Amino acid sequence: RYSSTDWLSRKAVAGSIQILQRAHAAMVRHVDWCDNIVNLIFVLAFCTVGGVFNHMRGEDGGMLTSAAFTNSCSYGHCAGYWVAHLYTRLLMALPTGALVYFFTKRPWLAVSFTFVMWSSIFLGWGTYFGMGKAATVGSRSGFMDWMLGREEKGWKQSRRWIRAFAGMGLRGLVWTLPCGHLLQMGGYGWQFALSGAFMPAVYSLGAYSKHVWTAEGWQPTQCQSPQIFSQDWAFAHGIPMAEFLWGFWLWLCLLVPLCRYRQRSTCVYPAPRWFTMVASLTAVIFLASTVWYGFVEQQDQANWAQSLAALVINTLTLLIALYRQYVYAERHVLSNISVQDERSPLLSESRAESLPDWAIVDSIDGPSQKLLFKWCEYGLGFVALVSLAMTYGFALTALGWNWSSPRFCEDGDGMTCP
């Protein structure tokens, strides 16, 4: 038998152990949250770098302009035009692809992602990025004019904005959906793939922002000889600020799933059925745009050629990705695999041995169960879905509203047409 004193002592010890265990668990949770917050701060810092890279892309190379090594060429009449365009688009695509490789350690995924994103930036969107604030009537044809109609003189600002919103939303999807679908098949979610639909909101903020929000007037004086410093390097009102915010948004939607889910175990992961339907519908729209744009005639042939090439490459990439995912879903799902969520692999380790070498991941890390990044991913996905719904809603609105508007540049409407 134990005395009452022994019994009380044992109870006190047991209670103390429970208190210590709870304190330790609370401390661990506190450390995890602190770690999550610190990681999020670093993610936001990296997103700022992404905004700077995209601003450099849009401003002809930022501080080191392409004119520094191509000014010996007459613009548009020799290789200097293409050197400048290849260089500026690599300024955004190459660092973004490097992030994918750093987090995934999958070279083929990173290379394909980089190439597809790089090619998507060649698609022109000058007919839409004014966001209806000013008339953008010109001789160029937008790649979605077959659906949205060409802007005509005399349109009200609301009509111009609806058309521009739909065009910019689909332009953003050309940028993110094909390369983002590759990420989704790699197990990194669908959020980045649909994040491009947020593009019109970003450019609307840039077009309608107040001057006091920007650094307009702070630009350094442009150096004349040699011309190596960009005068519009600071985040001026309008397009420059929108370019920075767009790069920030892209890297945010990319880094959050990459930080939450590191290296994945297999090549192909299933997508939610609704995402496959949205991607398939968008692929059909891209295909129609590619066919239609191939018959467009405009004065700026260089812009037409690079836009058509971007449409062809990204449409084919999206179609191949959809077909590849369908094939693997049909042929390689084993009956004894239970798919727990949208990121559960379609292929088991034994089944993955039959894949080609480039499709197999050497090292495997489990998903990072970071609650903060999980909710950030949900938040980004919600914003992307709302933007996607607005894009398609305004596209249908523009289709009905501008049904009788011309689709090609026509003589007699105050423009200089081919």
Side-chain angles (χ1 to χ4, degrees):
R1 292 185 178 182
Y2 296 102
S3 64
S4 58
T5 304
D6 293 337
W7 181 82
L8 290 174
S9 299
R10 290 175 177 274
K11 293 292 290 184
V13 171
S16 300
I17 293 175
Q18 290 182 353
I19 293 174
L20 290 174
Q21 289 175 342
R22 291 176 182 176
H24 178 265
M27 185 179 298
V28 169
R29 288 195 298 268
H30 177 72
V31 170
D32 287 342
W33 272 101
C34 290
D35 180 64
N36 288 335
I37 293 174
V38 170
N39 288 335
L40 184 60
I41 291 174
F42 276 101
V43 165
L44 294 176
F46 268 103
C47 293
T48 303
V49 176
V52 171
F53 275 123
N54 192 58
H55 182 58
M56 292 174 67
R57 174 207 57 78
E59 297 303 320
D60 201 23
M63 291 184 290
L64 180 61
T65 67
S66 56
F69 51 85
T70 61
N71 54 8
S72 60
C73 297
S74 176
Y75 187 77
H77 295 287
C78 70
Y81 175 89
W82 293 108
V83 171
H85 282 66
L86 297 175
Y87 157 72
T88 53
R89 283 148 180 80
L90 279 175
L91 282 174
M92 183 60 183
L94 206 56
T96 309
L99 282 181
V100 174
Y101 177 74
F102 176 79
F103 282 94
T104 65
K105 298 298 187 294
R106 300 174 69 172
W108 279 104
L109 176 61
V111 169
S112 58
F113 178 91
T114 303
F115 173 75
V116 175
M117 172 174 280
W118 175 66
S119 65
S120 70
I121 306 177
F122 281 90
L123 178 60
W125 65 94
T127 55
Y128 304 121
F129 65 31
M131 295 309 299
K133 187 175 183 179
T136 55
V137 180
S139 61
R140 285 187 181 181
S141 295
F143 79 104
M144 285 300 302
D145 283 358
W146 68 272
M147 183 178 185
L148 307 177
R150 285 183 57 85
E151 182 178 327
E152 298 181 271
K153 292 184 178 180
W155 279 12
K156 293 182 179 180
Q157 183 175 344
S158 58
R159 187 175 183 180
R160 295 199 304 265
W161 184 82
I162 288 176
R163 171 185 173 273
F165 193 102
M168 286 293 285
L170 290 164
R171 172 62 186 87
L173 289 175
V174 173
W175 192 318
T176 62
L177 185 55
C179 60
H181 204 292
L182 300 178
L183 283 181
Q184 190 281 323
M185 290 194 299
Y188 297 97
W190 50 264
Q191 284 79 6
F192 180 81
L194 300 184
S195 64
F198 194 63
M199 192 182 214
V202 171
Y203 275 77
S204 292
L205 180 62
Y208 294 94
S209 61
K210 297 182 181 298
H211 289 268
V212 72
W213 297 352
T214 67
E216 187 153 0
W218 297 357
Q219 299 99 314
T221 303
Q222 188 174 13
C223 214
Q224 297 296 330
S225 182
Q227 183 181 354
I228 59 173
F229 292 102
S230 173
Q231 185 177 5
D232 198 13
W233 169 236
F235 305 138
H237 175 77
I239 301 301
M241 190 180 73
E243 289 168 343
F244 170 78
L245 294 176
W246 174 243
F248 184 96
W249 167 258
L250 279 183
W251 277 33
L252 180 63
C253 294
L254 177 65
L255 284 170
V256 167
L258 288 179
C259 287
R260 185 183 175 208
Y261 292 88
R262 298 299 179 92
Q263 297 164 249
R264 306 315 304 271
S265 58
T266 56
C267 179
V268 179
Y269 283 68
R273 182 172 299 178
W274 64 266
F275 173 78
T276 303
M277 294 176 62
V278 169
S280 301
L281 173 62
T282 309
V284 172
I285 294 176
F286 290 170
L287 183 60
S289 297
T290 303
V291 174
W292 175 83
Y293 200 75
F295 293 97
V296 167
E297 295 182 2
Q298 64 181 33
Q299 291 176 330
D300 192 345
Q301 286 295 304
N303 175 269
W304 173 83
Q306 67 185 32
S307 295
L308 182 61
L311 277 174
V312 170
I313 292 173
N314 284 269
T315 301
L316 287 177
T317 300
L318 184 56
L319 291 173
I320 292 172
L322 287 168
Y323 174 76
R324 183 163 169 248
Q325 191 168 52
Y326 170 78
V327 168
Y328 279 124
E330 290 293 322
R331 298 182 181 178
H332 295 289
V333 176
L334 302 181
S335 59
N336 59 346
I337 296 181
S338 60
V339 179
Q340 298 178 356
D341 60 17
E342 63 203 41
R343 290 186 174 85
S344 298
L346 288 180
L347 305 175
S348 66
E349 293 302 317
S350 60
R351 196 65 175 176
E353 295 177 356
S354 63
L355 293 174
D357 294 337
W358 57 266
I360 300 177
V361 183
D362 295 329
S363 57
I364 302 171
D365 288 339
S368 175
Q369 302 298 331
K370 295 182 177 179
L371 186 62
L372 183 60
F373 283 99
K374 176 181 178 180
W375 286 106
C376 287
E377 192 178 31
Y378 288 167
L380 295 174
F382 175 77
V383 173
L385 289 176
V386 171
S387 302
L388 181 71
M390 293 179 64
T391 295
Y392 279 114
F394 286 147
L396 293 175
T397 302
L399 176 63
W401 201 346
N402 306 327
W403 185 264
S404 59
S405 299
R407 265 53 184 173
F408 294 92
C409 183
E410 298 179 352
D411 293 324
D413 57 0
M415 295 179 286
T416 303
C417 298

